[in-house]
Amino acid sequence: MRKNNKKNIKPAAKRTKKSGTKKRKSPEGNSSKKGFSIRLYSSLLKKITIYGGLSLAGLIALGILIIFGFFVYYSYETDLPSVDSLQNYQPEQQVMIYDRKGKLIGSLGQIKRTIIPWEKIPKNIIQAVIAAEDSTFFKHQGLNYFGMIRAFWVNLWAGRYKQGGSTITQQVVKRLLLTPERTLKRKFQEVILARRLEAALSKSKILHLYLNEIYFGHGRYGVEEASRFFFDKHAWEINLAQAALLAGLPKGPMLNSPLNHPKRAKQRQNYVLTQMVKNGFVSADNAEKLKKQELKEIIHKSTSEDFTPGISTFVSKYIKDKNLDPQSISVTTTIDFDLQKMATKAVKKGLQAYDRRQSVTSLKHYFSNKKKQKYLKKLAAKMKPQHGKIYKGLVGGRHKGKIIIDLGKSKGIVVEGMERYYPQGYEWNVKYKNQKKDKKYIRPGDQFRVSILAGKSGFKDYPLRLRAKLGPQAALVLIKVDTGDVMAMVGGMHMRMGDFNRAISALRQPGSSFKPFIYAAALESKGFTPATMLNDGPEVYQKWIPRNHGKFYGRVTLRTALTKSINSIAVHLLKKTGVEKVIQLVRNAGVKTPLRNDLSLALGSSEVTLYQLASAFSIFPALGIYRAPRLIKKLGDEIMPADSGKRVLSKQTAWLMTSLLRSVVKKGTAWRARKLKGFVAGKTGTTNRAKDTWFMGFTSDYVCGVYVGFDNHKTLGKHEYGGKTALPIFMEMIKSLPEYPFKAIKPVSGIVTRLIDPKTGKAVHPGTSGARKEYFQEGTEPPLPEIEPEIEPEDDIKSPENNSPEDILLQ
C-alpha cells in the first residue's frame, strides 16, 4: 500500500454531521466583503457626523436663542435696579468720633465704613486689588467671558461652587444693586447690569465704589476702615506689604484674617504679591523681599476704642437725646486721647494695688465635694442668667489656659478681666492649702465672682462667656478749669460700648468730699473765717450725734476742721449757714441730682454723679466761675461753644477755699499727695463701712475727680478710705499731665493776712510764739491787739512745724 505525501497532499475536507463536505472560502470573496463593510461604516459615520453636527449647531443656536431670550426678558423686568442710583451712591456709614486733635477714638453704628475720595486711595492698593481680584479690569467691558467659562468648568468638575468668575464690576453690582441669593434670574441680571454699569460709570468710579464697599472682616467695610483697624493708619498711609495683605482678604475675610489665621493670611498676601509681579506692578526682587516680612512687622492693630467706650456711649446718648441724624455727622470731642490713655492706666494701676492689698481672689474655698454640690444646687435655684449681673460661681478647673466657672445651671470660661487681678499671670495649684497667705494662687473650689458677657464661648461644655468681677470698679473725670472741657473720662475697667458708665451715671454718696461746699457757703456768708473757732464735741441734732472717724478735738479753727475732716463741725456749719443756701450753691455749680434737705447733707448723704461733682469743684480753682462741662466740641462742621461761665462765688471765697483745700493735702487726710510737686489741693471722701471712696482734687489748670467702689455697694474692706483707695489714682493722673508740676494760684485782691494764735483764732503781733499766718476776706479779719510784746521771736514763726498757709501754697 502506498504512503501519502503529507507535504503535497492536503487532507480531505471533514464531513459534517449533515451530508456533504464543507466548501472553502476564496480569498477574493473575503476582501470584497470587508471593503463593503468599511464603505458602509464610513457612510454611516459621515451621516452621523453631518446630522450630529447639524443637531449640535441647532442646539447651540437654540441655546443662544434661549439665553438671548432670557437677556431680553430680564432686561425689561420691572424689578431690575437702575445703575443710575450709583451715580450719587450714599452708603450707610458710622458716626466717627474724634478727639480734640483729630484722632479717631471711636465710632457708632452697625456698619463700620468710612468713605474716602478716589484721590486719597493710593496706587499700591489699587494695583494690589486688581492683581488679586480682576487683572483685566481696565481692559474688559464689565465681563470676563474666559473667566466665566473657566469657573463654570471648575465648578462642574468639582461638583460644587468652588470658583467665581465675576469681575470687579459684577461684584459692585452684586453688592450694591442685587440680593445675595444665587439664582438663574439674579445671574442674568448681574450680567445685564454689569454691562450697563460700565456704560454709565468710568472705571475709576466703579473701582472707587468697590474699594469703599467691600468687606474686609471684623465688621470693617472699605479700605479706610480696614487700614485703620489692622495698621492704625489711614488708607493713603499704608505700604505695599500692607496693601497686599488687605487685597487678599475679600476672598475670605475671616478665613484669611491675619488676626484669626496668620498662616493663611501670609499665604494669601504672597499670592497677591506674585500676581502683582505677573501684571508688572512690582519687581520680582521687591516682591520676594516683602514675602519674607513677618506679619507682626506690618500689623499694628488700633486700640483707640479700647480706651474710649465710655466716650462713645456718651456721644451715642447725646445724639439720641438731640434727635440728630447719625448718618450726616461726625463728632469731635474735647477728649485728649493721650490723656485718656493715661487716665485708663491710672485707674487700672489703682485697682490692681487695691486687689493686692485685699487679696480679692481669696473669697472662700469649698473643701469637700458635698459642700460644693450643696452650694451649686442653691446657686442654680436662684440663677437667672442676665448680661452684666454679678454671680459667685465656683472654680471648676482650667481649659486651654482659661478658668472654668461652674454657675450651677451652666458652666463658662473667663475670657476677660484676669489681666487686672493678675497682670503678671496667676499660679495654679490644686494642693495648696494655705491660700490666704499667698494671693497668686487659684484652685478648684474657690468662689469666684463673674459677670456674663454676650455671645457663646465656642466650647460645648462651657458655653458662657464670663468676665472676672472680683474687685471694685472705679471712675475718673478730668476737666480743664478755664474752659470746662472734659479732657479724659473713664467709666470703669474693661468697659464695652453701651456698658454702664460710672462717671456719668452712677449715683453714689460723696461722703466728706461734699464738705467743701458747706465751708464755701459759710465763708461766703462772711459769718465765718478760716480762723473762726468751733467746738468739736458730741452734739445732739434731733436724736442724731455726728461722730468722727477718730477722737473729738475740742476747739479748733475752721481751717483745722476741714484739714482733719471733722464731721461735727461740718454739721454745725451747715446748721448755722442754712441748708437752703448750701443747696443753692451746689445747684449753681451744676449738681442736678436730688439733695436731702437736712443736716446729713453736710456728711455727703445725698447721692451725686462723679461727672457733676468734678464740674462743681472747678469753681474753686476758677475763682468762683462755674462753666458747664463740655464733651462735644463739634458736630460735623458746627462748633459747640464752651460755656462762657457764671459767677457763683466771690473771688475771695473761692481763693480762700483753694487755700483751705491745700491744707488738706499738706497736713490732712490727703497727706499722700504731698509726694506730688507743685500746687495740688483737694478733699477725700469715705462713706459708712467704706462702700464708696472719693478724692476730688485740682491744680491751677485741672480738676480731677476719682471714685472707687463695688457696683453692688459691698464694703471695700478694712483700712480702705478715700486717701488710700481713690487718691493714688488721682496722683498717677496728675503726674502724667504735660504741665506738671503746677504753679500755685496767686492771692486775689480783697484778701488780707493776719498772724493768729491757732489756739484762739485771734490776731497776734509778729514774734508771738506759735503764731501762724492766716488769710481773710477784707473786712472779716480779726483786730490786732493793742499792746505789742517786748520780744519778737521771728525764727519761731518761720519754723517748719509752723508753716503759714502762704508758705504751704508756695511749696
Side-chain angles (χ1 to χ4, degrees):
M1 201 171 172
R2 194 189 294 177
K3 291 183 179 180
N4 290 331
N5 188 350
K6 294 182 180 180
K7 292 182 179 180
N8 298 324
I9 300 173
K10 294 181 180 180
K14 294 182 179 179
R15 294 182 181 273
T16 61
K17 291 182 180 179
K18 296 182 180 180
S19 61
T21 58
K22 189 176 181 179
K23 296 182 179 180
R24 292 181 297 170
K25 295 180 181 180
S26 66
E28 294 82 0
N30 289 339
S31 298
S32 176
K33 194 172 182 180
K34 186 176 181 180
F36 174 76
S37 298
I38 292 172
R39 287 194 301 273
L40 181 63
Y41 176 75
S42 298
S43 175
L44 183 60
L45 183 61
K46 186 176 181 180
K47 288 180 181 180
I48 291 173
T49 302
I50 293 172
Y51 289 119
L54 291 173
S55 299
L56 181 61
L59 289 173
I60 292 173
L62 180 61
I64 293 173
L65 187 62
I66 291 172
I67 291 172
F68 179 75
F70 274 119
F71 276 118
V72 172
Y73 175 76
Y74 287 124
S75 295
Y76 293 96
E77 276 274 64
T78 56
D79 64 344
L80 186 66
S82 171
V83 296
D84 294 336
S85 62
L86 299 183
Q87 293 280 6
N88 297 305
Y89 178 59
Q90 297 294 329
E92 181 182 351
Q93 297 187 64
Q94 56 191 335
V95 175
M96 310 305 295
I97 303 173
Y98 301 93
D99 82 338
R100 65 191 304 111
K101 299 176 183 176
K103 179 177 178 59
L104 181 69
I105 60 173
S107 60
L108 304 175
Q110 296 294 327
I111 302 297
K112 293 188 179 298
R113 179 192 290 111
T114 303
I115 302 299
I116 58 174
W118 170 253
E119 296 75 23
K120 287 198 171 185
I121 299 177
K123 187 177 180 180
N124 58 17
I125 287 183
I126 294 172
Q127 291 178 337
V129 168
I130 288 175
E133 295 291 319
D134 188 359
S135 60
T136 61
F137 175 72
F138 286 106
K139 299 177 183 178
H140 61 63
Q141 295 181 336
L143 302 171
N144 183 347
Y145 298 103
F146 177 76
M148 293 170 68
I149 294 171
R150 182 187 65 241
F152 171 78
W153 285 110
V154 169
N155 295 336
L156 185 66
W157 182 260
R160 58 185 175 87
Y161 183 83
K162 188 176 181 180
Q163 188 180 102
S166 298
T167 62
I168 286 177
T169 308
Q170 287 175 275
Q171 291 185 56
V172 170
V173 167
K174 283 190 287 187
R175 289 195 62 85
L176 302 182
L177 296 176
L178 298 174
T179 62
E181 60 180 346
R182 292 178 180 176
T183 62
L184 184 63
K185 175 183 176 180
R186 201 221 61 173
K187 194 63 181 177
F188 275 106
Q189 289 179 332
E190 177 190 312
V191 174
I192 294 166
L193 292 174
R195 293 298 302 271
R196 290 184 182 180
L197 187 60
E198 287 276 345
L201 301 181
S202 65
K203 287 286 188 180
S204 60
K205 179 65 176 177
I206 294 171
L207 195 56
H208 179 241
L209 290 172
Y210 177 81
L211 292 174
N212 278 310
E213 175 68 24
I214 199 66
Y215 183 55
F216 287 92
H218 301 283
R220 266 62 185 181
Y221 292 81
V223 291
E224 173 67 357
E225 275 301 308
S227 297
R228 286 200 296 229
F229 179 75
F230 289 110
F231 315 122
D232 201 19
K233 295 180 181 179
H234 290 293
W236 55 88
E237 296 174 331
I238 68 174
N239 58 39
L240 180 58
Q242 292 166 336
L245 182 63
L246 287 188
L249 294 178
K251 282 289 184 184
M254 299 307 289
L255 188 65
N256 297 321
S257 167
L259 303 181
N260 294 348
H261 304 285
K263 288 184 180 180
R264 288 178 180 270
K266 186 61 183 175
Q267 291 171 357
R268 186 68 181 158
Q269 181 201 37
N270 291 345
Y271 166 78
V272 174
L273 290 170
T274 300
Q275 292 301 110
M276 292 184 76
V277 172
K278 288 182 180 179
N279 286 274
F281 295 144
V282 65
S283 67
D285 291 341
N286 193 18
E288 287 304 316
K289 187 186 299 182
L290 295 178
K291 288 178 181 179
K292 294 177 182 179
Q293 271 190 324
E294 294 185 15
L295 288 182
K296 63 181 180 181
E297 296 177 23
I298 65 172
I299 295 177
H300 310 286
K301 186 179 180 297
S302 174
T303 57
S304 299
E305 296 186 28
D306 296 340
F307 292 96
T308 58
I311 310 300
S312 299
T313 303
F314 183 97
V315 172
S316 177
K317 186 176 185 302
Y318 182 90
I319 291 174
K320 185 177 180 180
D321 292 345
K322 297 292 184 181
N323 199 27
L324 300 173
D325 179 10
Q327 287 299 307
S328 61
I329 62 172
S330 62
V331 179
T332 300
T333 68
T334 59
I335 297 296
D336 184 314
F337 181 65
D338 292 331
L339 299 185
Q340 181 70 22
K341 288 196 296 183
M342 295 171 188
T344 304
K345 292 176 181 177
V347 169
K348 183 176 181 179
K349 185 174 181 179
L351 290 178
Q352 286 178 342
Y354 169 86
D355 296 334
R356 288 192 294 271
R357 286 196 306 271
Q358 293 294 328
S359 185
V360 295
T361 56
S362 300
L363 300 175
K364 192 172 183 180
H365 184 71
Y366 289 79
F367 292 95
S368 69
N369 189 58
K370 186 177 180 181
K371 285 185 178 180
K372 291 180 187 178
Q373 295 307 315
K374 185 178 179 180
Y375 177 80
L376 291 173
K377 186 177 180 180
K378 186 178 179 181
L379 178 63
K382 294 181 178 180
M383 185 183 174
K384 293 180 181 179
Q386 296 178 20
H387 176 254
K389 189 174 180 181
I390 298 175
Y391 299 92
K392 295 180 182 179
L394 297 184
V395 175
R398 286 192 303 179
H399 182 70
K400 295 190 174 180
K402 296 186 181 297
I403 297 176
I404 300 168
I405 302 297
D406 193 337
L407 293 172
K409 281 189 176 181
S410 185
K411 295 181 181 180
I413 293 286
V414 178
V415 297
E416 288 185 8
M418 290 303 296
E419 66 276 12
R420 168 185 162 181
Y421 307 105
Y422 303 94
Q424 306 301 326
Y426 63 88
E427 295 185 32
W428 186 266
N429 192 333
V430 295
K431 296 181 180 179
Y432 192 74
K433 294 182 179 180
N434 198 2
Q435 190 180 6
K436 291 184 179 180
K437 292 183 179 179
D438 198 318
K439 305 166 187 177
K440 298 185 297 181
Y441 283 93
I442 297 177
R443 54 182 175 166
D446 282 352
Q447 196 179 68
F448 208 89
R449 281 192 290 263
V450 293
S451 64
I452 299 175
L453 299 172
K456 300 294 183 182
S457 67
F459 302 111
K460 183 179 179 181
D461 296 330
Y462 323 109
L464 298 178
R465 296 177 68 250
L466 305 173
R467 176 189 293 168
K469 298 284 284 190
L470 302 178
Q473 275 288 355
L476 180 150
V477 175
L478 181 72
I479 298 176
K480 196 79 164 61
V481 170
D482 59 351
T483 61
D485 286 354
V486 180
M487 306 296 286
M489 180 172 68
V490 179
M493 285 297 296
H494 307 296
M495 284 187 67
R496 290 185 171 192
M497 172 61 189
D499 281 358
F500 183 68
N501 188 332
R502 295 160 187 84
I504 60 177
S505 300
L507 286 167
R508 294 292 182 140
Q509 292 181 340
S512 295
S513 63
F514 193 82
K515 288 176 182 176
F517 300 101
I518 313 297
Y519 283 73
L523 292 175
E524 187 78 347
S525 71
K526 296 188 178 181
F528 297 88
T529 72
T532 299
M533 297 300 295
L534 297 167
N535 184 56
D536 173 31
E539 189 171 348
V540 180
Y541 299 92
Q542 297 178 349
K543 298 182 180 181
W544 172 50
I545 303 176
R547 299 186 182 278
N548 300 322
H549 292 293
K551 63 181 182 180
F552 286 107
Y553 292 90
R555 288 179 60 77
V556 295
T557 63
L558 188 138
R559 179 181 291 275
T560 299
L562 183 59
T563 299
K564 296 183 179 298
S565 195
I566 298 175
N567 288 339
S568 63
I569 290 180
V571 175
H572 177 77
L573 278 177
L574 180 59
K575 183 181 179 182
K576 292 294 185 181
T577 305
V579 176
E580 292 296 338
K581 286 185 179 180
V582 173
I583 290 178
Q584 188 59 49
L585 171 62
V586 175
R587 288 281 182 253
N588 291 338
V591 176
K592 307 300 182 185
T593 53
L595 298 173
R596 297 183 62 169
N597 194 352
D598 58 46
L599 296 179
S600 68
L601 184 68
L603 306 185
S605 62
S606 296
E607 295 177 329
V608 297
T609 67
L610 175 64
Y611 187 76
Q612 291 182 6
L613 192 61
S615 176
F617 254 77
S618 68
I619 66 175
F620 304 132
L623 297 177
I625 300 297
Y626 170 72
R627 295 179 178 87
R630 180 178 69 153
L631 199 145
I632 307 296
K633 190 175 182 181
K634 287 174 64 178
L635 286 173
D637 295 326
E638 180 186 0
I639 297 176
M640 311 300 288
D643 186 6
S644 58
K646 64 178 180 180
R647 181 162 296 283
V648 299
L649 273 181
S650 67
K651 285 185 179 181
Q652 294 75 24
T653 298
W655 188 87
L656 286 175
M657 286 304 304
T658 67
S659 173
L660 293 175
L661 292 169
R662 174 63 173 164
S663 294
V664 176
V665 170
K666 295 303 293 182
K667 293 185 177 182
T669 56
W671 58 269
R672 283 181 172 83
R674 285 184 295 194
K675 294 180 181 179
L676 295 173
K677 299 177 182 178
F679 175 83
V680 176
K683 185 69 186 76
T684 57
T686 307
T687 62
N688 289 338
R689 298 181 62 231
K691 291 182 178 180
D692 304 297
T693 59
W694 301 71
F695 185 76
M696 307 302 299
F698 56 87
T699 68
S700 52
D701 294 335
Y702 295 94
V703 172
C704 180
V706 177
Y707 158 79
V708 180
F710 281 96
D711 288 342
N712 59 357
H713 299 274
K714 177 181 177 288
T715 178
L716 287 165
K718 293 182 179 180
H719 310 301
E720 297 294 339
Y721 40 87
K724 187 176 183 180
T725 311
L727 177 58
I729 297 175
F730 167 88
M731 294 171 61
E732 195 69 26
M733 181 74 251
I734 294 301
K735 287 189 296 184
S736 302
L737 295 173
E739 299 91 341
Y740 174 79
F742 295 89
K743 295 180 180 179
I745 302 173
K746 295 180 180 179
V748 297
S749 60
I751 296 291
V752 296
T753 60
R754 287 283 187 273
L755 284 176
I756 68 163
D757 181 352
K759 295 180 180 179
T760 64
K762 294 181 179 181
V764 295
H765 287 290
T768 302
S769 177
R772 187 180 74 189
K773 186 183 287 187
E774 188 55 88
Y775 295 91
F776 302 89
Q777 294 188 52
E778 194 171 8
T780 66
E781 67 275 16
L784 289 171
E786 295 180 359
I787 303 175
E788 296 185 10
E790 296 180 0
I791 304 174
E792 299 181 1
E794 294 182 3
D795 291 340
D796 190 41
I797 297 174
K798 296 180 180 179
S799 61
E801 63 271 17
N802 292 309
N803 281 344
S804 71
E806 183 181 35
D807 296 328
I808 291 171
L809 286 171
L810 296 177
Q811 287 183 22

